[in-house]
Amino acid sequence: MKKIITGLLLSAGMLSFAVGAAAAETDNGDGTKTVTEAGTSTVPVKGTLGADNSKPDAGIDEGNTDWVNVTVPSKTLFYSAGKSTTIKSPNYTIENHSGRPVTVSVASFSSQTADGALSKITSLNVALNANLNGTKTDVAVISSGTPAGEAETSLGELANSEGKLTSAGTTNNATSLTFGYSGSFDQGSVTGQITETYDLGLKFTPTKW
């Protein structure tokens, strides 16, 4: 009988130890969990090779620039024709193909030459004019002949490849914006054709959701 009682007490002690070793976990509802008491916790690991960043479930960490999948023009231009002092340009499109919304910004505008021909036209003022679903943003890229340099200005947020701005949002938001150039210079400043080449810097920032 004594051996039986001793065995039962030992078994109870082992059972108590096993219960106490189990970790207590609480889901925090924000993608984390709190683990308390002694024990272990299992965390699932999703591995993805060749992630398709046009898919919302691509498995890329939030906010990473690996999400960026945007089509932009390979070159742009502005001009004045003949004796006109008005700056014109074609319309260009920036389209988001990413699985996340992307904010488009003008990051810089600079000349490829140290002392360009158009930079000497001190009356020249040129703006980049963006239109995102009716919301217009004008960015001065040349002021009094001088390129703006590094000066970041947001043109707006493009919806993801499904037209969503949030994971739970609707699918009817704009995935693209258009832009062109406008401006002017004083009559008599230009007596013949002159040309200068610039670099437009664009920045793309994916949205976390």
Side-chain angles (χ1 to χ4, degrees):
M1 177 64 73
K2 185 175 181 180
K3 290 183 178 180
I4 294 175
I5 293 174
T6 301
L8 289 173
L9 290 174
L10 181 59
S11 298
M14 293 175 64
L15 178 61
S16 176
F17 175 78
V19 171
E25 299 183 351
T26 303
D27 187 344
N28 298 322
D30 59 357
T32 67
K33 61 182 178 180
T34 299
V35 182
T36 57
E37 303 179 18
T40 62
S41 177
T42 299
V43 177
V45 179
K46 179 182 179 181
T48 303
L49 302 181
D52 183 352
N53 65 3
S54 68
K55 306 294 185 183
D57 60 352
I60 300 171
D61 59 308
E62 297 297 331
N64 195 298
T65 54
D66 285 338
W67 277 112
V68 176
N69 185 342
V70 181
T71 299
V72 301
S74 57
K75 61 182 179 180
T76 64
L77 62 85
F78 65 82
Y79 67 93
S80 71
K83 296 182 179 180
S84 173
T85 59
T86 299
I87 299 298
K88 300 179 181 179
S89 82
N91 284 321
Y92 303 98
T93 300
I94 297 175
E95 177 83 24
N96 183 28
H97 306 286
S98 167
R100 291 291 182 272
V102 171
T103 296
V104 181
S105 302
V106 172
S108 62
F109 193 89
S110 59
S111 176
Q112 291 188 0
T113 54
D115 188 18
L118 299 192
S119 299
K120 298 175 182 178
I121 310 301
T122 57
S123 61
L124 176 63
N125 295 288
V126 179
L128 182 151
N129 314 116
N131 187 332
L132 200 174
N133 198 30
T135 299
K136 298 180 179 180
T137 304
D138 298 329
V139 182
V141 293
I142 301 176
S143 299
S144 300
T146 303
E150 295 185 6
E152 187 172 326
T153 303
S154 172
L155 302 181
E157 184 181 32
L158 301 180
N160 79 340
S161 57
E162 296 180 341
K164 292 184 176 182
L165 290 170
T166 63
S167 59
T170 59
T171 59
N172 59 350
N173 299 284
T175 61
S176 66
L177 64 81
T178 59
F179 73 94
Y181 303 96
S182 66
S184 64
F185 56 92
D186 291 344
Q187 191 172 22
S189 298
V190 178
T191 57
Q193 179 172 311
I194 57 176
T195 301
E196 183 171 351
T197 303
Y198 300 89
D199 288 325
L200 168 64
L202 296 172
K203 180 180 179 180
F204 308 102
T205 306
T207 301
K208 296 180 181 180
W209 72 1

